[in-house]
């Protein structure tokens, strides 16, 4: 009996050892397979990334080769808010042309003939402020019976520039203290020249109707707080190109401006091109009952344009203890005033 028991125990131990060895071997194989799968997955991701890059490069090359234009420019010359129009200068350099090539540009259905000056075709167009030209600007080239066109996707219109100049967020609305409104809040402010403007001043304004009760120099406050992120640029005038963005320089059909901010910032002439940061405003400002209180960012450009962006709008109650009503301006209402004093309010 003991012999049989010993044999049984020995067989059991051998089987257990075999099972353990098999489990270890299986686990090692599983880990090896997992490693191989991870390696394959990484390689697949790299291959897919390379394929996408190749596709993007091929697409960019084909678009560049298919383009009829070597260089183009649409620049803002002036704006008239009384007539609700603005004037742009246009230039284009076709890849192939002769002295007999007739060239024009269409803004929507409005055709503007261009004249050959040196190697460029140039002209001017006066456009309505209300129109959106995204994907609706076309160059036409006519050589005898051959007509060729090139559509611009980059030019949207001047109003897309105006609405992005000034912005801000008021962290907390004003409170009241013994007949005065009390400011005690952080204010996030951003002013961007968008390659078109530089600024003489940027202020936070507290106003009652059309009367400015108090103004705060944002640039000075940012400098005092050590958070000034303002940049200078030597943009000479409002004629900086509307269409020239960093991504527009990637192919040969778009203009490489000499006035863009990357070049201009190399020479600081003291002009403020952009500003962004957070300031703390703490103050008491006396107000009267039923007065309408507005708080807004005001940026005055060197070119004579004034941009405002509303942060708060409320009417003081009769007891001067709170606001009777407050307007919903979560979208940020803005206005632009031209050098003649006319306002554009979208």
């Amino acid at each position: 009996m003991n012999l049989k028991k010993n044999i049984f125990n020995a067989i059991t131990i051998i089987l257990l050892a075999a099972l353990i060895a098999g489990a270890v071997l299986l686990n090692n194989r599983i880990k090896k397979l997992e490693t191989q799968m991870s390696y394959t997955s990484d390689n697949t991701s790299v291959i897919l990334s390379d394929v996408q890059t190749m596709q993007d490069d091929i697409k960019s090359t084909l678009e560049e080769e298919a383009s009829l234009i070597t260089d183009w420019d649409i620049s803002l010359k002036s704006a008239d808010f009384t007539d609700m129009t603005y004037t742009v200068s246009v230039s284009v350099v076709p890849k192939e042309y002769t002295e007999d090539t007739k060239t024009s540009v269409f803004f929507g259905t409005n055709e503007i003939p261009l004249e050959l000056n040196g190697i460029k075709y140039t002209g001017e167009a006066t456009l309505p402020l209300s129109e959106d030209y995204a994907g609706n600007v076309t160059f036409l080239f006519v050589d005898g019976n051959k007509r060729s066109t090139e559509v611009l996707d980059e030019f949207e219109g001047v109003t897309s520039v105006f609405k992005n100049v000034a912005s801000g967020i008021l962290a907390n609305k004003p409170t009241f203290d013994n007949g005065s409104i009390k400011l005690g809040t952080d204010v996030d402010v951003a002013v961007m020249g968008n390659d078109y403007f530089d600024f003489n001043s940027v202020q936070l304004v507290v106003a009652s109707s059309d009367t400015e009760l108090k103004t705060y120099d944002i640039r000075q406050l940012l400098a005092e707080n050590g958070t000034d992120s303002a940049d200078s640029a030597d943009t000479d005038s409002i004629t900086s190109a509307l269409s020239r963005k960093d991504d527009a320089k990637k192919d040969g059909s778009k203009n490489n401006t000499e006035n863009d901010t990357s070049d201009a910032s190399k020479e600081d002439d003291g002009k403020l091109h952009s500003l962004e940061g957070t300031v703390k405003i703490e103050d008491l400002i006396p107000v009267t009952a039923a007065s309408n209180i507005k708080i807004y960012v005001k940026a005055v450009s060197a070119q004579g344009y004034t941009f405002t962006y509303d942060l708060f709008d409320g009417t003081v109650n009769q007891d001067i203890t709170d606001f009777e009503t407050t307007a919903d301006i979560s979208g940020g209402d803005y206005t632009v005033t031209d050098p003649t004093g006319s306002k554009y309010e979208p």
Side-chain angles (χ1 to χ4, degrees):
M1 294 293 295
N2 289 334
L3 178 61
K4 289 182 179 180
K5 185 176 181 179
N6 290 337
I7 293 173
F8 176 79
N9 290 338
I11 294 173
T12 301
I13 293 172
I14 292 171
L15 290 174
L16 288 173
L19 287 173
I20 293 172
V24 171
L25 180 61
L26 180 60
N27 183 60
N28 289 337
R29 288 184 176 180
I30 291 173
K31 287 184 177 180
K32 186 176 181 180
L33 286 172
E34 288 177 345
T35 301
Q36 290 175 342
M37 290 178 66
S38 176
Y39 177 76
T40 302
S41 176
D42 290 342
N43 281 348
T44 302
S45 297
V46 172
I47 291 170
L48 290 175
S49 177
D50 289 343
V51 169
Q52 183 62 49
T53 300
M54 290 174 62
Q55 289 177 339
D56 292 342
D57 290 343
I58 292 171
K59 181 180 178 181
S60 177
T61 300
L62 290 175
E63 288 176 351
E64 182 175 348
E65 291 177 350
S67 174
L68 304 173
I69 297 172
T70 298
D71 194 14
W72 63 271
D73 176 63
I74 300 176
S75 300
L76 178 65
K77 292 194 65 178
S78 63
D80 188 333
F81 296 153
T82 302
D83 293 338
M84 294 298 289
T85 60
Y86 63 100
T87 301
V88 294
S89 60
V90 183
S91 68
V92 61
V93 180
K95 286 183 177 178
E96 296 181 2
Y97 63 96
T98 68
E99 292 183 355
D100 296 326
T101 302
K102 297 186 182 299
T103 301
S104 58
V105 61
F106 284 82
F107 291 92
T109 58
N110 185 21
E111 181 179 9
I112 309 298
L114 303 178
E115 296 182 356
L116 183 60
N117 291 300
I119 63 171
K120 295 182 179 180
Y121 287 88
T122 62
E124 291 185 1
T126 299
L127 309 170
L129 279 167
S130 58
E131 290 294 326
D132 180 5
Y133 291 102
N136 205 17
V137 178
T138 306
F139 285 110
L140 171 65
F141 308 100
V142 180
D143 285 297
N145 295 325
K146 181 182 178 182
R147 298 168 63 90
S148 305
T149 59
E150 176 97 356
V151 178
L152 299 183
D153 295 325
E154 292 82 3
F155 181 82
E156 297 181 3
V158 73
T159 54
S160 65
V161 176
F162 288 160
K163 69 182 179 182
N164 294 319
V165 169
S167 61
I169 299 174
L170 199 67
N172 301 294
K173 75 173 187 178
T175 57
F176 284 80
D177 184 358
N178 196 25
S180 297
I181 59 171
K182 182 179 181 180
L183 298 180
T185 182
D186 288 336
V187 184
D188 295 327
V189 176
V191 173
M192 302 297 172
N194 297 320
D195 294 341
Y196 317 115
F197 308 103
D198 46 8
F199 302 97
N200 292 331
S201 65
V202 179
Q203 297 175 324
L204 181 74
V205 179
V206 180
S208 176
S209 298
D210 293 329
T211 303
E212 294 184 356
L213 301 178
K214 198 69 176 286
T215 61
Y216 305 89
D217 187 328
I218 297 299
R219 188 180 190 183
Q220 180 179 343
L221 289 174
L222 287 174
E224 290 174 355
N225 294 337
T227 58
D228 188 2
S229 60
D231 296 324
S232 294
D234 63 354
T235 308
D236 293 328
S237 68
I238 201 170
T239 57
S240 297
L242 284 169
S243 57
R244 295 177 300 218
K245 306 294 182 184
D246 289 340
D247 59 353
K249 298 174 186 176
K250 293 180 180 177
D251 71 72
S253 66
K254 301 174 182 68
N255 190 28
N256 190 7
T257 176
E258 62 186 16
N259 283 334
D260 68 12
T261 54
S262 61
D263 293 333
S265 60
K266 295 177 183 177
E267 182 180 348
D268 185 358
D269 62 359
K271 294 180 180 179
L272 178 64
H273 181 73
S274 65
L275 175 151
E276 186 173 8
T278 301
V279 296
K280 180 76 172 180
I281 304 292
E282 293 184 351
D283 205 357
L284 286 173
I285 304 171
V287 295
T288 58
S291 60
N292 176 249
I293 302 299
K294 284 189 175 183
I295 302 176
Y296 53 88
V297 176
K298 182 173 79 171
V300 180
S301 79
Q303 296 81 13
Y305 291 79
T306 299
F307 302 86
T308 68
Y309 184 92
D310 290 347
L311 305 179
F312 176 82
D313 187 336
T315 302
V316 180
N317 66 14
Q318 292 296 326
D319 299 327
I320 317 181
T321 57
D322 202 351
F323 290 103
E324 187 74 27
T325 60
T326 56
D328 180 11
I329 55 172
S330 57
D333 297 333
Y334 74 94
T335 63
V336 187
T337 306
D338 68 15
T340 66
S342 297
K343 287 187 177 182
Y344 171 71
E345 298 178 278

